[in-house]
Amino acid sequence: MSTTVHAGSTERLLTPGEVAALFRVDPKTVTRWASAGRIGSIRTPGGHRRFRESEVRSMLADLTSEATLPPARP
Amino acid sequence: MSTTVHAGSTERLLTPGEVAALFRVDPKTVTRWASAGRIGSIRTPGGHRRFRESEVRSMLADLTSEATLPPARP
DNA sequence: GATCACTAGGGTAATTAGGGTC
DNA sequence: CTTGTCCTAATTACCCTAGTGA
């Protein structure tokens, strides 16, 4: 089947180990995220998982979103 | 110059426990710093926090220059 | 065809988050 | 006002063996 895999697939896929290194977690944890549906995953014919780099980077963009810097007073 | 954050994915991350060990405080205290916006943090999909090593080192450097600087001698 | 690194899967400890209190 | 400690629930880390990927 020649599907339209040519257009938007310039997307780089990351392995569980690579994603784990970016988040500073164990590769098994990344697998658990995929099983829980917290992160999109693509399975190889053999059952291994691959993750979209753009999606992973979007999650990492959550920098300093804890507090909304209140008016600093001296 | 200031630290630019546009390529931050290659940044090494530290766990709350590691940061706590560096500052000699309780991990709970590190969590409070993050909640107060005193330190930047990245959240894993599971809700756990990760901290940038470079930022932590900068804060540690500030502590060193706080009172450990004797009169500079020529 | 054979080798090596990585991954899936399950099960059990260790960390962390969150609130409340001193 | 900041820190340390109490609790419970959730998330994560490390153990193993077999299969997949390159």
Side-chain angles (χ1 to χ4, degrees):
Chain A
M1 297 97 119
S2 45
T3 30
T4 9
V5 198
H6 219 310
S9 288
T10 321
E11 177 65 67
R12 192 153 99 103
L13 295 179
L14 302 177
T15 64
E18 291 174 322
V19 178
L22 292 176
F23 277 95
R24 186 54 171 93
V25 295
D26 194 270
K28 299 320 195 256
T29 301
V30 180
T31 296
R32 201 177 302 109
W33 293 343
S35 298
R38 289 199 238 243
I39 183 176
S41 63
I42 301 176
R43 311 273 297 210
T44 67
H48 285 197
R49 284 173 244 252
R50 296 288 121 95
F51 305 90
R52 302 180 184 280
E53 185 183 35
S54 59
E55 184 179 358
V56 172
R57 285 187 178 273
S58 301
M59 295 176 162
L60 281 170
D62 278 339
L63 257 184
T64 323
S65 51
E66 286 283 345
T68 327
L69 282 199
R73 40 235 214 77
Chain B
M1 306 327 189
S2 7
T3 44
T4 323
V5 207
H6 54 25
S9 302
T10 326
E11 173 66 64
R12 191 148 52 140
L13 300 177
L14 299 177
T15 64
E18 291 172 331
V19 177
L22 291 175
F23 279 94
R24 282 289 189 164
V25 295
D26 198 88
K28 182 79 170 181
T29 300
V30 179
T31 296
R32 287 187 190 145
W33 292 346
S35 297
R38 276 191 260 259
I39 183 174
S41 62
I42 299 177
R43 311 275 289 211
T44 67
H48 284 201
R49 284 177 249 254
R50 297 284 119 100
F51 304 91
R52 294 180 169 276
E53 186 186 36
S54 59
E55 185 176 358
V56 173
R57 285 177 182 267
S58 299
M59 301 176 80
L60 283 172
D62 275 357
L63 291 183
T64 341
S65 61
E66 183 89 2
T68 319
L69 263 187
R73 38 182 163 151

